[in-house]
Amino acid sequence: MESRIERLCVEKGLKMTGQRRTIARVLSEATDHPDVEELYRRATTLDARISIATVYRTVRLLEEKGILERRDFGGGRARYEPTEHGRHDHLIDIDTGRVVEFTDDAHVAALEAIARELGFELVSHRLELFGRRRRAAGERRPGAEARRAAPRAATRGTPR
Amino acid sequence: MESRIERLCVEKGLKMTGQRRTIARVLSEATDHPDVEELYRRATTLDARISIATVYRTVRLLEEKGILERRDFGGGRARYEPTEHGRHDHLIDIDTGRVVEFTDDAHVAALEAIARELGFELVSHRLELFGRRRRAAGERRPGAEARRAAPRAATRGTPR
DNA sequence: GTATTTGCAAACTTTTTGCTATTGG
DNA sequence: CCAATAGCAAAAAGTTTGCAAATAC
C-alpha cells in the first residue's frame, strides 16, 4: 500500500525509488520526531540496502518540497516530522525528553499582533515550552541528577 | 575597567585569566548575538593569544554558571547573549537575518496556562518569530531570490 | 535511453578533548 | 605552590558531496 508521504512525493513529481518508498513509509508511520539516525535505523530494518547518505538526501529533498519539517529541540541533531495541516507547537518534558504536541489557535493572533507592533508581518514562528510533569501529592519524581542534566538537552559530544 | 560579565565571573568564584577577562569584555560590549567564531574574532583583536578552544570552553562555562545563554537561530551555529534580568524573546527578519528583541510579559502567563493544561509546570520557553518587514505603499523589498533563500537560514555546509 | 539517484568514502563544519605547558590566587 | 586553565592538534559528531554504478520513467 502507498503511504501518505509517498503519495505526496508522487504528487510533487519525485522519482520513487525503493529507498524513497521505504523512507516515506517510515515517515508516514512515525508518530514522534525522529532524527536522521533513527530514520536510518527504522528504514534499514525494512530494507537493508539504504545508506545514511540517502536518508540525509531524502529528508533534505522532502523538506524543500514542503513535505517534511525540520525541528531542533536541542541536542545538536535535526529532527523531522511530516508537515501537518493543523499547525502545532511543542512542549518538551525536561525530565524525560518526551515531546508533547499542542495547538495554540488563540495564540497565533497574539503573535501576529506582536510582530505587527514591531513593524513586521509574521511569516512563521517557533514556540517550544520546557516543562516538568506535575505530580500528585506524595508522588516522587526521577533522580536529582536527571533533573540537573536535562534542562540543556545533551550537549554536542554526547557519547551514544 | 572591570566589565559587567567579568564582575559576574568573579562573583561566581571563577579564576580570571587574561583570556577570560578579554572574552568577558567582548561579551559585555556585544549588543548582538555572536556565535563562537565571531567571539573568537573579536577577542583575538584585543589579545592575539586566545585560541578558539578557549572561547568554546569559556562560553560553555559561562553558560553553566548562568551568565550566558545559548541561542539557536538556525544556521547550525550556537549563538550567545548575556543572561538578562528582563526576559525577552526574538523576532528574526527572514530577509536580512537581523534579530529584534522584544518582551512578552502578558505572554508568559498564557504559556504557563497552556503548560498547566497539559499537566506540566512551565520551566522555560523558547519563542521565535520569523517575519518580514512591512513596507510603506510603493516601497520595494529586496530581490525575490533572497526571499526564497532566507526562510531556512543557511544549511550546514555554508562556505565562508 | 537517459537523467536521476544511490552507495561509498572522503571532505567539511562545528564542537569537544587529551596532553603538556603555563598561570592565577 | 598547585589546582585550574590555555594552547595545540587530533578526535568526534553531524552532515554534505564527488564519482562511478544502478535505476526509474
Side-chain angles (χ1 to χ4, degrees), chain A residues 71-124:
Chain A
R71 301 275 172 214
D72 165 49
F73 295 146
R77 301 143 102 111
R79 296 171 64 173
Y80 293 87
E81 71 177 321
T83 298
E84 293 292 335
H85 300 300
R87 186 56 74 246
H88 63 259
D89 294 306
H90 299 96
L91 184 154
I92 295 100
D93 183 327
I94 62 177
D95 288 321
T96 67
R98 192 166 62 98
V99 177
V100 179
E101 298 181 352
F102 67 91
T103 52
D104 65 334
D105 308 325
H107 230 62
V108 181
L111 300 183
E112 274 166 1
I114 292 175
R116 196 171 319 114
E117 233 169 272
L118 295 169
F120 287 81
E121 191 185 327
L122 187 65
V123 172
S124 66

Side-chain angles (χ1 to χ4, degrees), chain B residues 16 53 56-57 60 77-78:
Chain B
M16 291 313 289
Y56 271 107
R57 280 194 270 236
R60 186 190 241 246
R77 300 141 101 112

